[in-house]
Amino acid sequence: MLPHLVPEHRVITFDLRNHGRSGRSEGGYRVSALAADLDQLLTHLGVATAHLLGHSMGASVLWSCLELYGSARVRSLVFVDEPAACAAAPWFIAADSRDAGVILNHSDVGDFVSSLVGDNAAAVRRAFLEGMLSKDLPAADLDWLYERNLLMALPWGAKLLLDHVQQDWRDVLPGIAVPTLVVGGSHFPFF
């Protein structure tokens, strides 16, 4: 039997709290709560060590997990399409924003999050999703992704997004001491 097909090797995927078809809760709209959920899931499943992949905010969840729980059970990491800081803090200088991959100004964060729970929330959500995707994506695929996006109830999702975009992981990233791959496409704004 090939080593990569040994039965004890498995791939586990899951929807974060209040994402997709996962359970719903009123609280826990913090990246740190999602990191705690991941840690509890790995413990519950008896996963001693794992290769972990985080896409977009999922990368922030992994960074929070590393900060809170360390890397003892982490064999390797893959981060896909996530900057070290999504929004510029008021004290950032231009070099900080550039180096961190900032995509929002601090002053724009409140307006953007408010628009997610405003009268035009559906259009704002769709435009936000479209802004993260290739213009070549077939319309049917975009519609499917948008339907998945709508599974996250608001204002919970807006509260989580606010917490997420205010994180600055630049102090955590240099401490990563396991093999790590960072992935971004040709239009990835963070390289």
Side-chain angles (χ1 to χ4, degrees):
M1 182 173 281
L2 297 172
H4 66 284
L5 297 178
V6 175
E8 62 267 9
H9 290 78
R10 57 192 169 169
V11 174
I12 301 166
T13 64
F14 68 101
D15 288 330
L16 296 168
R17 176 192 306 225
N18 287 348
H19 287 69
R21 301 198 188 284
S22 71
R24 299 297 185 239
S25 68
E26 295 297 318
Y29 44 82
R30 290 176 186 78
V31 172
S32 60
L34 302 180
D37 291 346
L38 172 58
D39 185 68
Q40 290 172 8
L41 175 66
L42 293 173
T43 298
H44 174 76
L45 295 175
V47 176
T49 61
H51 303 280
L52 301 172
L53 180 146
H55 172 252
S56 191
M57 186 181 60
S60 291
V61 171
L62 294 181
W63 296 331
S64 182
C65 222
L66 291 170
E67 180 179 45
L68 295 170
Y69 307 106
S71 61
R73 68 168 54 174
V74 180
R75 295 185 66 191
S76 69
L77 295 161
V78 178
F79 303 122
V80 181
D81 289 340
E82 182 61 15
C86 291
W91 54 85
F92 276 26
I93 60 172
D96 290 332
S97 293
R98 183 189 63 248
D99 293 346
V102 164
I103 56 175
L104 290 168
N105 291 319
H106 180 74
S107 58
D108 298 332
V109 170
D111 292 340
F112 176 63
V113 172
S114 294
S115 70
L116 287 172
V117 293
D119 294 336
N120 201 18
V124 170
R125 286 174 87 161
R126 178 125 184 155
F128 178 64
L129 181 64
E130 288 176 1
M132 293 187 294
L133 301 168
S134 168
K135 304 300 180 221
D136 299 332
L137 186 71
D141 292 344
L142 175 61
D143 291 342
W144 183 86
L145 288 168
Y146 180 63
E147 289 172 15
R148 302 288 77 73
N149 184 275
L150 292 176
L151 293 174
M152 182 182 296
L154 295 174
W156 191 93
K159 293 176 183 179
L160 175 63
L161 183 64
L162 180 61
D163 180 74
H164 168 60
V165 300
Q166 294 187 81
Q167 302 300 319
D168 179 359
W169 299 105
R170 290 176 301 154
D171 63 325
V172 173
L173 300 179
I176 296 174
V178 298
T180 301
L181 174 65
V182 178
V183 179
S186 61
H187 298 290
F188 185 58
F190 319 123
F191 289 130

